Amino acid sequence: MKGLRKYISPFAPDQSGATAVFCELGGLVVILDAGGCAGNVCGFDEPRWFDSKSAIFSAGLRDMDAILGRDDKLVEKIGKACKKIDGNFVAVIGTPVPAVIGTDYTALRRMIEKKTGFVAVTVDTNGMELYDDGVRKASLELFRTFTGTDDSASRSETAGTDPLELLGVLGATPMDIVETEAPETIENYYKKKGWQQVSVYGMGAGLDAVRQAGQAKKNLVIAPAGLEAARYLKKKYGTPYEAEYPLAAIPGWDTFWENVMQKERKNVLIVHQQVLANTLRDTIRKESNAKVTVASWFMLDKELKEDGDVHLREEDQWISLVREGGYDLIIGENLFMRAVPDYAGDHINLTHFAVSGKRTI
């Protein structure tokens, strides 16, 4: 039955993914809801909320506010909040409420900018898509709005000069990465590979780094939700990109890899976000002759997809895939295995926060 789940819990929705992009950038993030969506984000879908401060607000829409589309009342609230919060921009995140009433985000953005004097960003998430769609939309709007807006010369303005040895990392949110031991783990990993400067946008790198993103020599996309932003930066600034996940930054990677290779593997299934799964597949292939299939409940970009890769949509589809696939090893969230208790092969857990809400491997 379409949409029926008996074993696997719901995944993080698009407004949670969009909020994750702006969480560390110092802005005022407004979730355009009556209160429930903001509570879900801060209570379940944003792990940084428990460890650090971020100005995330609910619009607190009442029934008549939504029905009558009283954007002026919302803008008034935002104006008051901006006077109390030391922010540098306003981000408005959509939910089912504005999707139903047809909110004009362009007009809303202009009203907010006129009222507050801050740059405003709006993301038309609707609460019905998955988190990666929200990350994709928010990341693209972030770079469209801010990159190249500071006094630093962009790549196009400095033609003929050597670009800074700067690596930009796109798609990094707690939703998609396997929780690292420290916030700077990914940054340090690439500095050891020779990069002078590494900007992990949205997880360590602030808004100034986003403004200077056009100066990067290369962008690395570690989750498929960052691909659209990478393509935008390539088109506008000529910045090349590639998709790869830093597997060595995964906590306990050495032990994890030993478990993968402790037996001769013939047929392996990896279930995670596409870039991490692809990188792990390539690593396994270098060390064995195993057939490796990637499956994901989330984005499967055509450029990165191989024949035989599976885009999962329904729980029944997942159950059939495992029962009929003949896999001797499945790598993915423990939560998925609840639906296939009769699976007789090996399973190695690989945490995906947007699936289980767990931060450790």
Side-chain angles (χ1 to χ4, degrees):
M1 181 184 297
K2 185 176 181 180
L4 175 65
R5 292 192 186 177
K6 297 187 290 183
Y7 306 102
I8 301 173
S9 61
F11 306 140
D14 54 359
Q15 68 257 18
S16 296
T19 305
V21 172
F22 299 110
C23 183
E24 294 186 20
L25 298 180
L28 177 70
V29 180
V30 180
I31 301 176
L32 199 52
D33 72 330
C37 295
N40 188 69
V41 170
C42 298
F44 301 98
D45 290 340
E46 181 44 76
R48 292 169 291 184
W49 180 257
F50 301 102
D51 302 327
S52 59
K53 295 181 179 179
S54 183
I56 302 176
F57 288 80
S58 166
L61 297 175
R62 304 279 68 86
D63 291 349
M64 293 308 295
D65 295 337
I67 293 169
L68 298 176
R70 292 171 175 167
D71 291 343
D72 55 332
K73 294 188 67 175
L74 172 63
V75 172
E76 187 68 26
K77 287 182 181 180
I78 293 173
K80 290 179 180 178
C82 285
K83 293 178 180 179
K84 297 180 181 180
I85 300 296
D86 185 20
N88 47 20
F89 70 94
V90 177
V92 178
I93 311 299
T95 69
V97 175
V100 169
I101 66 175
T103 294
D104 185 340
Y105 284 101
T106 301
L108 182 59
R109 174 176 55 79
R110 291 172 179 168
M111 291 170 66
I112 293 170
E113 290 179 339
K114 183 177 180 180
K115 178 68 175 180
T116 66
F118 289 157
V119 174
V121 183
T122 57
V123 185
D124 63 341
T125 44
N126 59 23
M128 304 303 292
E129 306 298 334
L130 297 177
Y131 81 93
D132 51 345
D133 193 59
V135 174
R136 175 186 64 82
K137 289 180 177 180
S139 298
L140 182 60
E141 288 302 315
L142 177 69
F143 289 101
R144 276 179 174 171
T145 302
F146 293 105
T147 301
T149 59
D150 64 347
D151 294 331
S152 301
S154 68
R155 177 187 295 272
S156 61
E157 294 170 335
T158 56
T161 64
D162 293 331
L164 177 70
E165 287 293 322
L166 166 63
L167 176 69
V169 180
L170 300 167
T173 72
M175 301 283 182
D176 269 322
I177 69 168
V178 179
E179 185 74 12
T180 55
E181 295 172 347
E184 64 275 8
T185 299
I186 294 176
E187 178 182 348
N188 292 338
Y189 174 81
Y190 288 108
K191 283 185 175 179
K192 289 179 181 179
K193 287 182 168 289
W195 290 95
Q196 295 175 6
Q197 184 176 341
V198 179
S199 291
V200 184
Y201 303 116
M203 289 195 72
L207 195 60
D208 286 341
V210 174
R211 291 189 175 108
Q212 298 173 23
Q215 300 179 45
K217 185 175 182 180
K218 180 181 177 180
N219 284 323
L220 191 78
V221 182
I222 66 174
L227 282 168
E228 193 165 345
R231 288 164 181 154
Y232 165 78
L233 292 170
K234 181 179 181 180
K235 182 178 181 180
K236 185 166 185 179
Y237 298 101
T239 313
Y241 69 88
E242 65 178 63
E244 180 185 57
Y245 191 92
L247 297 177
I250 296 176
W253 165 250
D254 291 339
T255 301
F256 177 91
W257 183 243
E258 287 178 5
N259 290 336
V260 172
M261 301 307 295
Q262 68 178 349
K263 297 181 182 178
E264 181 182 355
R265 308 295 186 183
K266 296 181 180 180
N267 195 3
V268 179
L269 176 65
I270 305 173
V271 191
H272 212 282
Q273 55 103 329
Q274 187 183 25
V275 174
L276 190 160
N278 280 2
T279 307
L280 183 55
R281 168 164 58 189
D282 293 342
T283 305
I284 293 174
R285 283 175 172 172
K286 290 177 182 178
E287 300 294 332
S288 74
N289 295 319
K291 175 186 176 183
V292 187
T293 302
V294 165
S296 183
W297 298 84
F298 309 105
M299 292 180 180
L300 283 184
D301 187 84
K302 291 181 180 179
E303 288 186 12
L304 307 181
K305 185 179 179 182
E306 293 188 4
D307 290 341
D309 288 350
V310 181
H311 189 192
L312 296 164
R313 297 184 182 277
E314 304 294 340
E315 189 177 86
D316 289 346
Q317 183 188 6
W318 161 250
I319 294 172
S320 296
L321 176 67
V322 173
R323 287 178 175 172
E324 300 169 8
Y327 303 107
D328 52 36
L329 173 63
I330 296 176
I331 301 173
E333 263 286 353
N334 281 332
L335 183 66
F336 295 139
M337 306 312 294
R338 292 168 49 183
V340 285
D342 53 346
Y343 169 67
D346 293 331
H347 168 250
I348 300 176
N349 182 54
L350 186 58
T351 301
H352 195 166
F353 183 83
V355 172
S356 66
K358 294 182 178 179
R359 302 177 64 177
T360 58
I361 193 168

